[in-house]
Amino acid sequence: MTNLNTSDMEGSDLNETENNLSSVSILESTPSDPFNERLTLAIQLYMDGVAGNVTAVQEAHRILEQLRVDYPDKPLVDAYYGSTMILIARDKTEAFDKLKWSKQGLKMLDNAVAAAPHDSMIRLLRGKSSYNLPEQHFYRTKTVIEDFTLVLNTQSDTLDTEKQLELIYELGEAYNRIGQNQEAATHFRRLESQTQSSAWKQLSKQKLQALEGKPAIENLPNFSPTSILIEATRSVGSALLTWADDEKKKEKKKEKKKEIDQQKAEERAKERAKEKTKEEAKEKAKERVKEKAKEPAKEMTKELAREKAKELAREMAKKLAKEKAKELAKEMALKKKKK
């Protein structure tokens, strides 16, 4: 039997949620619809958050929080808001904070389902969020079964064929977690019969082999949610501390990855700065070429101006010479008369 480990909160299942939701036809947004534009942005950030982007989670949470104020009574917004809280819980380092944010997110998701019980997208969001929470702390597997069953039985474009197969597998895993082996085997056989993928068939075969010889319903150790909550509140019980330790290790890995990403970002920024400097240098070179191209024209203009000035000077000199000749002729004429 395969149980959900406490590390599943940030494991591959949660990271795969982006793929599960990326093919969903969520809404038809138009440039003139501010609600859909803002919700679409929040969903994109949520997807990035599912993939591990902590900053995107916080920004999605901020946008969704304001959307709930501006547009109340929108169950889909509440569902994404609650799912984002689950991601915030994932990124917290303290066990009590994880528990608090997870409980708030689940409450928001439950309210969204209560408001729109037949909405496949809302059911998928709640089911996925619940699927990635440790069963021994949250007791949400029955909710997962309810939500996934409704999504698979609803004729809609919420999931494509591949995602439906994935949901059938996860539904089998959910039944397996709570010891309902017969139901788990039914879904693994359903998956095996509905796919041509060798990977899915091999996985289904392995799961069915693991269930062979087990009773139809298996009694598994039961944990009291009340006692766990009391223990967590009073002394952060050992189970949650183990969870926190696992999360801290992951947090260190995340910090290391963040440092590497930061270095890469700085390198990209330097490259962009270099490219910008090159572009600016090219532009300056073009300007210099243009200026040099203008210089011959300027010189020619100056030369023409000089020639024009010389021509005017010559004309003026000729004119003055004529005037002087006339004056001399008059003087000579006057002298002749006197004689």
Side-chain angles (χ1 to χ4, degrees), residues 149-163:
T149 300
L150 182 141
V151 173
L152 287 170
N153 291 340
T154 301
Q155 295 296 326
S156 70
D157 58 355
T158 301
L159 296 174
D160 59 24
T161 302
E162 183 63 23
K163 301 309 175 187

Side-chain angles (χ1 to χ4, degrees), residues 202-224:
Q202 180 63 27
L203 187 58
S204 300
K205 184 178 179 180
Q206 290 174 358
K207 292 294 181 180
L208 289 168
Q209 287 175 348
L211 289 170
E212 284 181 4
K214 289 189 175 183
I217 297 177
E218 187 176 2
N219 292 322
L220 300 176
N222 188 29
F223 300 90
S224 168

Side-chain angles (χ1 to χ4, degrees), residues 26-40:
I26 299 168
L27 46 81
E28 293 294 332
S29 63
T30 60
S32 60
D33 188 342
F35 169 76
N36 280 348
E37 288 177 357
R38 290 163 64 186
L39 180 57
T40 299

Side-chain angles (χ1 to χ4, degrees), residues 327-339:
E327 288 294 326
L328 289 173
K330 286 180 181 179
E331 288 179 4
M332 289 178 65
L334 288 171
K335 285 178 181 181
K336 285 180 179 180
K337 285 180 179 182
K338 288 178 179 180
K339 290 179 179 181

